[in-house]
Amino acid sequence: MLKNIPFFKCLNSDEIARLEQISVVKKYKKGEFLFMEGEEPKWLNYLISGSLKIYKTSTKGKEIFLHQLSPLNFVAELANFENIPYPASAIFTISGEVLKIDYQKFQSDFMTNPVLLMDIIKSLSQKLKITSDVLHQELVLNSEARVAKFIVENEDLFNTIKHTKIASILNITPETFSRILNKFKTQDLIKLDENNRIISKNIDEISSFYIN
């Protein structure tokens, strides 16, 4: 199975065998936590299948949505590399599997591989972009732009959770979210079925709300 994961394609057969010795694949159900904010990282986690919601909790208990992570990605690997507690929580929104690698053994056995290190740097760069996007949403985008961006970039999530939850993720009131969604529907920017799932969307027009 490890040979089929793109991230490990640079490893030879002996290295793959060693990686198998220090790894385990664990299944998770929808609603289960991979980890919670503040926990100490022991495993280097690689999402094989399913979908993970990454979020922080404010001092007042408010959930702050950060990212929806798709398969074939490391999860919060910066916590491993910096040896710090997880800065956010990760919960499954779609059941899936995670490759859990003993990080201390991975560090000693694999972190000298230059190709692997370059791929890790690329992965960390993607996570930095996610953080930048969250800051941009909170500090720059207005309510309509937030809704538009969420529709374009998170259609699967839009189709699986309640609108009140999406409003909470975007840090706007449910009434504001409903008003904006009705506006988009009236302007034929988006069409929904009877279960509020997206049937079609005008990506170019909706994207104009948040792309200058």
Side-chain angles (χ1 to χ4, degrees), residues 38-153:
E39 287 183 0
E40 296 293 331
K42 175 185 176 182
W43 302 97
L44 179 61
N45 295 298
Y46 190 85
L47 184 63
I48 300 173
S49 64
S51 185
L52 274 171
K53 180 178 72 174
I54 312 297
Y55 71 93
K56 286 185 67 66
T57 303
S58 72
T59 54
K60 295 182 179 180
K62 180 177 176 57
E63 184 179 299
I64 303 170
F65 175 82
L66 298 178
H67 186 57
Q68 193 72 26
L69 195 66
S70 57
L72 303 185
N73 275 299
F74 281 115
V75 187
E77 64 272 31
L78 183 62
N80 296 104
F81 302 142
E82 293 294 327
N83 192 28
I84 58 174
Y86 285 116
S89 299
I91 189 171
F92 277 85
T93 55
I94 299 175
S95 299
E97 292 183 323
V98 174
L99 176 68
K100 302 176 73 68
I101 306 169
D102 186 308
Y103 179 66
Q104 288 188 346
K105 294 177 181 178
F106 179 84
Q107 186 179 39
S108 62
D109 293 352
F110 292 93
M111 292 294 276
T112 56
N113 185 312
V115 178
L116 199 63
L117 282 176
M118 183 57 65
D119 287 340
I120 288 173
I121 290 172
K122 291 178 181 177
S123 178
L124 288 171
S125 296
Q126 292 173 353
K127 301 303 190 304
L128 288 174
K129 182 181 183 302
I130 291 169
T131 302
S132 176
D133 288 345
V134 171
L135 289 173
H136 179 71
Q137 172 182 296
E138 293 299 318
L139 299 177
V140 178
L141 299 183
N142 61 27
S143 296
E144 288 187 350
R146 293 183 189 187
V147 175
K149 193 171 190 292
F150 190 89
I151 289 171
V152 172
E153 297 182 356

